Amino acid sequence: MQKKNKSVLLALFLTMIMILSACGGNNSNTNNKEAAGNTPAVEATDSANAVEEGAVDTSKEVTLKMIFVGPKPVDYDLVFAEINKKLKEKINVTLEGEFLDWSDWAQKYPLKLAANEDFDLIYSANWAGYNDQALKGGFLELTDEMISKYMPKTWEAMPKVSWGQAKVNGKLYMIPQNQGESVEKLILYREDLRKKYNLPAIDSPEAYANYLKAVAANEKGVIPFTPETGDWKLHNLDRILLKQQSDWNMLDFDLPLGFKLTDETGKIFNVYETPEFKELLTYYKDLADNNAWSKNVLNSKNDHQQDFKEGKTASITHNIGTLGSIIEALRREKSPFEVALADITPGSKKSQAISTQNGTSIHATSKNPERAMMFVDLMQNDKEMHDLIMSGIEGVHYIAVGDDKFKSTEKSANYTGFSNWNFNSTLNRSNESFPQEATALLDEWGTKVYNYPLETFVFDNSKVKTEVANVSNVMLRYAIPLEYGAIDDVNKGLEDLNKQIKAAGLEKIQAEMQSQIDAFLAANK
């Protein structure tokens, strides 16, 4: 018995040595994999020692809430259930999405940040007030140390210039998209109607006006043009007929301050005081008087893209990616309508979006910023997760064609229309059925990209916050009705607009912006 007991004790002793050796000899591989977020989550234990030195602790299960803009996709539950299954395995996270519909996102977006609602991530973009919200303290500052630790793949893949473009006053509040894109606006219209009325090619503002008037006069029940809904101060048609036609740009589409792309001095001006804007108002008034859009346009919450697909409207505006996707869907679904793209400013200089065109910001009050960063790292750089968030479930919402293309299915439309573009990266798939004419335009524009001195300038409005808010309200109240021809006396309406906009503080904003531009250009000579 004594010999047997000694043998048992010796065996137990040797077993303990082997266990301790195994635990101590596997640190480097585990640390590297877990820091990159590529291994299953550490199981919850009673001991903090279960997390190895240097690794990211994912033992605690976390629920992240993210705010998207756009409508909740039909198959949200189906796709996000699959996303969450994978997230649980990889970083022990469950994701909940909240969606701000296009008709009211502009009002609700800033309110959610101002009210410090409980959420972790939010879609952010230069056109959605990123700079303003960053300066107001709504977004968490992201340091190089945080990114390299919790987003190692993004840190490695993202060009340094993209990080620089996303900084506000030298600080970063966004994980920007990692893929360039065109920001030029086009018109999608009914080619069958153009042919029906024997109209010339739609390649100028005048030709487009003729098309709208012909549809209004002859196609009962079809609205010639339907704009996007929401509080767009300078909407897409403005951007075509002012920005693109005149080779201007705006630093903030919520302010009527523009500059010429070719002006190396960066002198800004009040768009509302230009002859070009006055001429545009005359153009709009003529269209309104000829029923080019709904009489209820100022209050409409219609989905302009859906209305176009259903034949309720004869033209809409957007970027080439969105419009190309609509064409692809209509052709795949064998729509009875023949559709086409119109570039009515073909001679204009073409520009590409800076990285802040789409991005993800972490709420300043997030309780789990580290896990939120790990989540974004996966969505941008893990092929499996990226395909899920961008395209849905393979075999249901798309059919994979190689590593970089896809084919649409009948259920593709059930997972689209919302802001998953913040996860754009080099892993994006392109639709193999994307219209050839849209691809040709992109190729042509790629040879005409114009870079200008203020491309990466970011305006700090912290000294003029009150004035910016006041000007925004004036634009909504006075400018938008003018642009839709709802004011009978255009000259009087324009005079009132400029009087009110100056009273709201536009000149103070302009002086502050010009001062910052001058300093920026001097520092970047």
Side-chain angles (χ1 to χ4, degrees), residues 372-383:
M373 296 177 76
M374 293 171 72
F375 160 75
V376 179
D377 198 42
L378 282 174
M379 292 303 175
Q380 276 199 343
N381 302 284
D382 182 292
K383 182 65 174 171

Side-chain angles (χ1 to χ4, degrees), residues 54 75 77 91 118 272 284 338 349 367 399 404 453 491 509-510:
D75 282 351
D77 291 334
I91 56 172
D118 186 15
Y272 294 154
Y284 283 154
E338 182 183 359
K349 290 178 169 55
K367 299 179 180 64
I399 297 170
D404 60 355
N491 291 329
I509 299 170
Q510 185 172 345

Side-chain angles (χ1 to χ4, degrees), residues 170-217:
K171 296 181 179 181
L172 184 71
Y173 301 92
M174 171 199 282
I175 304 110
Q177 66 177 7
N178 189 12
Q179 187 185 55
E181 63 176 296
S182 170
V183 292
E184 302 302 311
K185 305 302 180 184
L186 289 162
I187 292 165
L188 179 61
Y189 71 96
R190 290 272 300 277
E191 173 70 355
D192 55 325
L193 295 181
R194 186 192 71 81
K195 291 178 177 178
K196 180 178 179 180
Y197 298 110
N198 196 29
L199 299 170
I202 302 176
D203 56 6
S204 69
E206 294 73 27
Y208 182 49
N210 289 337
Y211 169 79
L212 296 177
K213 291 176 185 178
V215 172

Side-chain angles (χ1 to χ4, degrees), residues 38-291:
N38 288 332
T39 58
V42 178
E43 294 295 330
T45 69
D46 293 331
S47 172
N49 293 330
V51 179
E52 300 191 25
E53 185 180 355
V56 177
D57 181 3
T58 59
S59 59
K60 177 186 175 183
E61 183 176 0
V62 165
T63 296
L64 298 176
K65 182 177 180 180
M66 179 163 182
I67 309 296
F68 295 93
V69 297
K72 184 176 182 178
V74 175
D75 282 351
Y76 164 82
D77 291 334
L78 181 65
V79 178
F80 272 58
E82 190 63 22
I83 288 172
N84 283 326
K85 176 183 175 183
K86 302 297 182 182
L87 285 175
K88 185 75 170 70
E89 295 172 358
K90 292 174 183 285
I91 56 172
N92 205 10
V93 157
T94 298
L95 178 68
E96 292 181 358
E98 181 180 343
F99 298 81
L100 308 180
D101 200 83
W102 291 119
S103 61
D104 54 17
W105 77 271
Q107 296 91 2
K108 291 184 177 180
Y109 186 99
L111 291 177
K112 286 191 168 295
L113 289 160
N116 275 330
E117 289 192 15
D118 186 15
F119 61 90
D120 301 278
L121 302 118
I122 188 167
Y123 172 85
S124 55
N126 49 23
W127 55 268
Y130 164 64
N131 297 346
D132 187 36
Q133 293 301 332
L135 292 167
K136 286 179 178 178
F139 302 144
L140 181 73
E141 181 189 350
L142 307 175
T143 65
D144 290 356
E145 182 182 5
M146 293 164 66
I147 297 168
S148 58
K149 180 175 182 180
Y150 300 109
M151 305 184 68
K153 290 189 174 183
T154 305
W155 180 248
E156 180 181 352
M158 188 79 70
K160 288 185 178 180
V161 67
S162 297
W163 293 121
Q165 290 173 349
K167 288 184 177 179
V168 179
N169 282 354
K171 296 181 179 181
L172 184 71
Y173 301 92
M174 171 199 282
I175 304 110
Q177 66 177 7
N178 189 12
Q179 187 185 55
E181 63 176 296
S182 170
V183 292
E184 302 302 311
K185 305 302 180 184
L186 289 162
I187 292 165
L188 179 61
Y189 71 96
R190 290 272 300 277
E191 173 70 355
D192 55 325
L193 295 181
R194 186 192 71 81
K195 291 178 177 178
K196 180 178 179 180
Y197 298 110
N198 196 29
L199 299 170
I202 302 176
D203 56 6
S204 69
E206 294 73 27
Y208 182 49
N210 289 337
Y211 169 79
L212 296 177
K213 291 176 185 178
V215 172
N218 298 287
E219 292 292 318
K220 304 306 177 187
V222 178
I223 297 172
F225 169 71
T226 300
E228 65 275 39
T229 55
D231 289 341
W232 301 92
K233 280 82 173 184
L234 288 160
H235 50 73
N236 280 340
L237 198 53
D238 283 346
R239 299 180 196 190
I240 294 173
L241 297 170
L242 276 179
K243 173 184 173 291
Q244 290 171 203
Q245 184 171 221
S246 304
D247 287 331
W248 294 350
N249 205 348
M250 283 80 174
L251 295 168
D252 186 335
F253 284 107
D254 283 342
L255 292 171
L257 295 173
F259 60 92
K260 289 183 180 294
L261 294 178
T262 55
D263 181 6
E264 295 187 358
T265 67
K267 182 173 178 58
I268 57 173
F269 50 83
N270 176 5
V271 169
Y272 294 154
E273 289 186 323
T274 63
E276 290 87 347
F277 185 73
K278 185 173 183 179
E279 184 179 340
L280 179 60
L281 291 183
T282 302
Y283 178 87
Y284 283 154
K285 179 61 176 168
D286 177 55
L287 289 177
D289 289 346
N290 283 279
N291 301 309

